[in-house]
């Protein structure tokens, strides 16, 4: 049985777009404001374009060192531009900030602005934003860097280094009083071969082991939902929660009735119910319940998957774009496709993994879809899957992030 969470995370509240209650006892004027700001990275040149979703002429351009992958962090106050091939991470203040007053949430809106300080290191890749911490893993550095989310929202980039025994493609994440880090094998590899990954282990803040290794061969990807962190493995999905004596691990083996020879390596965690949505092979998804059986429910897609996302405003709903150009609404409770609509031209998954293909993100009652070949960002209604409009973006719009939501101005 999927467990509903009593409260939503700060990021979920930012992105949900729900109308927050107003404080009728205020003795000064107030106004309800809903604003979503879209950040789009170009596929071919170092550039991020930002615009307000409903007023796209309000736009800004930020140069970057290289191609970016964009992440809203620090409660949506900042967008991190991770540039793996350029060994750089830049940060942009989104210009949207929220202040929680219990019965309502204030919103402050200004222009987005680049933060002068940046991070540099050998191949930054995986970013984790959880429990007020933003963590970047350097795949070729043998360390991660930890930022305080509140300080980052104020424009302060003050990294603390977390050492790892060996450089590898992995992640570091906070959980309770522990720091969880992927662990790599010490065996020799030739050329550009990947270092084998063994599993997940708890450490203290200085990188000293604080628990035994939890086996998870070829561990890849992480997500949080409710009390749990989940990560994909060759054997199944490893789940972990904070316990009285440290992290408590449980490996959920892939069942025999799932397609064989494939795994999950990208996971998304719902903010309102305790459930994960993961990829499973090129043309499948899997809904994962970390507590109750069946732990896995498989969704067969009609074509290969291009990108997928969860809806923070509707916790039991997800969306997946397939290579035929169709957008599908996923019902997580039923583990099935609830509706489908054609939204772009076909984008084949053959070719290089980083070829320009659409990416999707949520913006309240809309799904925003980059369409690189058309030079557009498409606005799709969550309810009908109909196109509401398009926004022209110079170049080849590729990776995307959205910040914003609803609040009250005084």
């Amino acid at each position: 049985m999927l467990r509903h969470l009593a409260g939503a995370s700060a990021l979920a509240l930012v992105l949900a777009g729900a109308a927050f209650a107003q404080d009728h006892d205020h003795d000064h004027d107030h106004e309800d404001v809903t604003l979503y700001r879209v950040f789009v990275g170009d596929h071919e040149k170092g550039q991020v374009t930002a615009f307000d979703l409903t007023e796209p002429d309000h736009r800004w351009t930020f140069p970057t060192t290289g191609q970016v992958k964009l992440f809203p962090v620090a409660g949506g106050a900042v967008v991190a531009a991770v540039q793996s091939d350029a060994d750089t991470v830049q940060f942009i203040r989104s210009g949207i900030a929220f202040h929680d007053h219990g019965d309502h949430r204030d919103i402050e809106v200004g222009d987005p602005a680049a933060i002068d300080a940046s991070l540099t290191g050998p191949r930054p890749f995986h970013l984790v934003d959880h429990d007020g911490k933003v963590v970047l893993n350097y795949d070729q550095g043998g360390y991660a860097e930890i930022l305080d989310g509140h300080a980052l929202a104020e424009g302060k980039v003050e990294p603390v280094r977390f050492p790892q025994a060996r450089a590898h493609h992995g992640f570091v994440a906070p959980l309770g009083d522990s720091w969880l880090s992927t662990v790599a094998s010490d065996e020799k590899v030739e050329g550009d071969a990947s270092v084998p990954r063994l599993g997940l282990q708890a450490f203290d803040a200085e990188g000293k082991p604080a628990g035994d290794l939890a086996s998870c061969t070829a561990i890849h990807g992480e997500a949080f939902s409710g009390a749990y962190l989940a990560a994909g493995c060759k054997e199944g999905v490893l789940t972990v929660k904070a316990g009285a004596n440290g992290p408590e691990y449980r490996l959920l083996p892939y069942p025999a009735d799932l397609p064989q020879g494939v795994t999950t390596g990208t996971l998304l965690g719902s903010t309102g119910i305790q459930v994960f949505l993961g990829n499973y092979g090129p043309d499948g998804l899997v809904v994962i319940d970390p507590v109750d059986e069946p732990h896995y429910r498989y969704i067969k897609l009609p074509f290969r998957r291009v990108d997928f996302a969860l809806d923070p405003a509707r916790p039991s709903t997800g969306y997946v774009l397939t290579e035929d150009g169709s957008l599908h609404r996923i019902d997580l409770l039923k583990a099935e496709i609830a509706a489908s609509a054609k939204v772009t031209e076909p984008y084949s998954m053959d070719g290089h993994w980083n070829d320009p293909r659409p990416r999707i993100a949520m913006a309240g009652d809309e799904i925003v879809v980059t369409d690189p070949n058309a030079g557009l960002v498409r606005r799709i209604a969550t309810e009908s899957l109909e196109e509401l409009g398009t926004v022209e973006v110079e170049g080849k719009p590729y990776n995307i992030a959205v910040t914003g939501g609803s609040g009250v101005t005084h």
Side-chain angles (χ1 to χ4, degrees), residues 3-75:
R3 286 166 165 73
H4 290 263
L5 306 181
S9 69
L11 181 58
L13 289 173
V14 170
L15 299 180
F20 292 99
Q22 299 178 25
D23 184 356
H24 297 290
D25 295 328
H26 279 288
D27 58 1
H28 48 276
D29 292 337
H30 60 265
E31 179 185 1
D32 289 331
V33 173
T34 298
L35 174 65
Y36 290 94
R37 187 162 285 162
V38 181
F39 294 78
V40 182
D42 190 80
H43 184 271
E44 296 179 344
K45 58 184 175 181
Q47 179 175 296
V48 173
T49 299
F51 59 87
D52 290 344
L53 183 60
T54 54
E55 296 185 66
D57 288 340
H58 290 174
R59 65 171 60 198
W60 304 261
T61 301
F62 301 93
T64 61
T65 305
Q67 186 191 101
V68 301
K69 188 170 184 182
L70 300 170
F71 300 87
V73 298

Side-chain angles (χ1 to χ4, degrees), residues 73-74 127-135 146-150 174 179:
V73 298
L127 181 148
V128 174
D129 180 21
H130 182 70
D131 199 20
K133 303 297 181 182
V134 179
V135 190
I146 303 166
L147 300 170
D148 179 80
H150 178 72
W179 288 93

Side-chain angles (χ1 to χ4, degrees), residues 14-273:
V14 170
L15 299 180
F20 292 99
Q22 299 178 25
D23 184 356
H24 297 290
D25 295 328
H26 279 288
D27 58 1
H28 48 276
D29 292 337
H30 60 265
E31 179 185 1
D32 289 331
V33 173
T34 298
L35 174 65
Y36 290 94
R37 187 162 285 162
V38 181
F39 294 78
V40 182
D42 190 80
H43 184 271
E44 296 179 344
K45 58 184 175 181
Q47 179 175 296
V48 173
T49 299
F51 59 87
D52 290 344
L53 183 60
T54 54
E55 296 185 66
D57 288 340
H58 290 174
R59 65 171 60 198
W60 304 261
T61 301
F62 301 93
T64 61
T65 305
Q67 186 191 101
V68 301
K69 188 170 184 182
L70 300 170
F71 300 87
V73 298
V78 174
V79 173
V82 179
Q83 301 155 65
S84 302
D85 293 337
D87 295 340
T88 302
V89 182
Q90 293 171 258
F91 301 95
I92 303 169
R93 298 182 76 166
S94 70
I96 302 175
F98 292 87
H99 305 280
D100 187 13
H101 293 286
D103 62 346
H104 73 278
R105 194 172 179 89
D106 285 356
I107 182 173
E108 292 183 6
V109 178
D111 289 346
I115 296 175
D116 290 337
S118 60
L119 299 178
T120 58
R123 197 163 177 78
F125 204 94
H126 199 97
L127 181 148
V128 174
D129 180 21
H130 182 70
D131 199 20
K133 303 297 181 182
V134 179
V135 190
L136 276 302
N137 196 87
Y138 292 87
D139 287 4
Q140 296 176 0
Y143 64 91
E145 286 187 319
I146 303 166
L147 300 170
D148 179 80
H150 178 72
L152 185 60
E154 295 181 343
K156 301 174 184 177
V157 180
E158 302 169 337
V160 175
R161 182 168 292 199
F162 180 93
Q164 297 168 314
R166 187 180 187 185
H168 66 283
H169 181 57
F171 66 84
V172 173
L175 184 74
D177 296 329
S178 300
W179 288 93
L180 299 179
S181 175
T182 52
V183 175
S185 166
D186 58 4
E187 71 178 72
K188 293 182 178 180
V189 295
E190 300 294 334
D192 295 331
S194 297
V195 177
R197 300 182 298 275
L198 303 179
L200 199 61
Q201 189 171 3
F203 296 84
D204 65 16
E206 285 71 44
K208 298 178 182 178
D212 296 331
L213 176 71
S215 180
C216 177
T217 306
I219 184 170
H220 189 279
E222 60 74 36
F224 286 89
S225 181
Y228 286 87
L229 177 148
C233 321
K234 183 178 180 180
E235 309 88 352
V237 170
L238 180 68
T239 65
V240 53
K241 64 177 181 178
N245 299 314
E248 299 176 354
Y249 304 92
R250 184 184 181 189
L251 180 67
L252 307 177
Y254 299 124
D257 59 352
L258 260 61
Q260 300 299 297
V262 295
T263 63
T264 185
T266 300
L267 290 161
L268 306 176
S270 176
T271 55
I273 57 177

